[in-house]
Amino acid sequence: MTTRRADIGMCFDRTFAPGRVVEFARRLEAGGADQLWIIEDCFYTAGVSLTATALAVTERLKVGIGILPAVARNPAITAMEIATLCGLAPGRVLPGIGHGVQSWMRQMGVRPASPLTALEEVLTAVNRLLAGEEVTVDGRYVKLDRVKLDQPPADPPPLLAGVQGPKSLALAGRAAGGIVLAEPTSPSYVRAALAQAAAPDDFQVTVFSFLGIAEDRRTAYRRMAPWLATKITEQTPGLTVLPFFGELVELFAKDGVDGLVGMPPEWWMELGPVGTHEDALTHIAALEEAGVHSIGLFPPPDVDVASAALEDVLRIANR
């Protein structure tokens, strides 16, 4: 079986000034990258408007939304927004919908008692609306009365579920067209997620990977070690599935951030595109072999540093 070549893109951080999206989108397209992923988090910048802007200033680039919180918008409005984007740029929209951070949902007064039920109802309703159906539903969270889009997309894009836990991944396998996995995303995590989703053959897999390339490995590891330390403390799903997770925790407990800097290069290459350019390509190839279709590379959250790192993204895209 031939390994599929993944599309390569860059993530536009939630803290970046909105006007910079034009620069990033144009440079990515001109340089040969495949995608730009807009990060929507409460209460930073809005995903739909930034996506529309990026699509308007490009002709080929695909633009993903990562991730619309399911309950922050009525599903009829979410479907309208996605359909409108598809009308502006057919075949170039990659819509993601997820639970949303529950503390943020509480702040807005929309936190559901059952995030799983809410997400499944929203995904199902939005899928049906994008397919051109007239939808009447009286669910626990979604209530629609004869709602039908005037201009559904001719070729609806797969809805990508931005989820992490086993129950949410299983939900994605039955209600979504694919998944978006948050960083750190190792090949081990991808394989575990696909197994939990019991995914069909056409299931689309997008991953976000934190990008850390330098001229030498030691410099890259030192830059990335504080970020990894935070993820270990958070016990993120992308780490807990690693075959060496127990050893990683022990190393961090014993030697702290310095211990992470000195851990085996093979561990770093499993975790992300970190190290030299060649190390990053090794990680990308392993993700492709695990079944990944799209990779959004996450630069550091400083817009000027990210602007410089865009050249690393283009080198990987043109591998």
Side-chain angles (χ1 to χ4, degrees), residues 228-250:
L228 179 56
T230 300
K231 295 299 179 182
I232 293 171
T233 302
E234 294 172 351
Q235 300 274 297
T236 58
L239 290 181
T240 56
V241 301
L242 294 171
F244 52 84
F245 180 66
E247 296 173 82
L248 180 63
V249 171
E250 289 179 9

Side-chain angles (χ1 to χ4, degrees), residues 31 35 81-82 91 108 113 179 186 192 203 205 254-256 268 278 290:
Q35 301 173 347
E81 297 280 23
I82 294 171
M108 295 188 291
I179 50 175
S186 66
F203 202 65
V205 180
K254 178 176 177 290
D255 298 323
W268 279 110
E278 290 71 25

Side-chain angles (χ1 to χ4, degrees), residues 108-273:
M108 295 188 291
V110 295
R111 180 178 180 178
S114 174
L116 283 168
T117 301
L119 179 57
E120 185 158 12
E121 288 186 0
V122 168
L123 287 169
T124 301
V126 173
N127 262 321
R128 292 180 61 193
L129 289 165
L130 292 177
E133 295 183 34
E134 180 180 276
V135 179
T136 295
V137 61
D138 185 18
R140 183 174 175 184
Y141 298 101
V142 176
K143 300 181 184 297
L144 300 175
D145 180 18
R146 295 175 299 168
V147 175
K148 189 176 189 295
L149 295 181
D150 180 70
Q151 298 181 50
D155 186 16
L159 294 182
L160 306 176
V163 293
Q164 294 184 322
K167 291 182 180 179
S168 296
L169 287 163
L171 181 161
R174 63 180 180 266
I179 50 175
V180 179
L181 299 177
E183 71 289 348
T185 309
S186 66
S188 299
Y189 183 29
V190 172
R191 287 188 287 268
L194 285 173
Q196 290 166 341
D201 291 340
D202 59 350
F203 202 65
Q204 299 294 301
V205 180
T206 293
V207 302
F208 293 161
S209 292
F210 205 100
L211 182 64
I213 294 178
E215 289 298 319
D216 64 274
R217 286 175 169 173
R218 191 79 176 179
T219 299
Y221 299 164
R222 189 160 294 282
R223 288 175 183 168
M224 295 300 300
W227 166 81
L228 179 56
T230 300
K231 295 299 179 182
I232 293 171
T233 302
E234 294 172 351
Q235 300 274 297
T236 58
L239 290 181
T240 56
V241 301
L242 294 171
F244 52 84
F245 180 66
E247 296 173 82
L248 180 63
V249 171
E250 289 179 9
L251 178 65
F252 179 54
K254 178 176 177 290
D255 298 323
V257 170
D258 288 340
L260 300 180
V261 173
M263 72 186 194
E266 294 76 18
W267 290 11
W268 279 110
M269 279 187 275
E270 173 75 7
L271 285 167

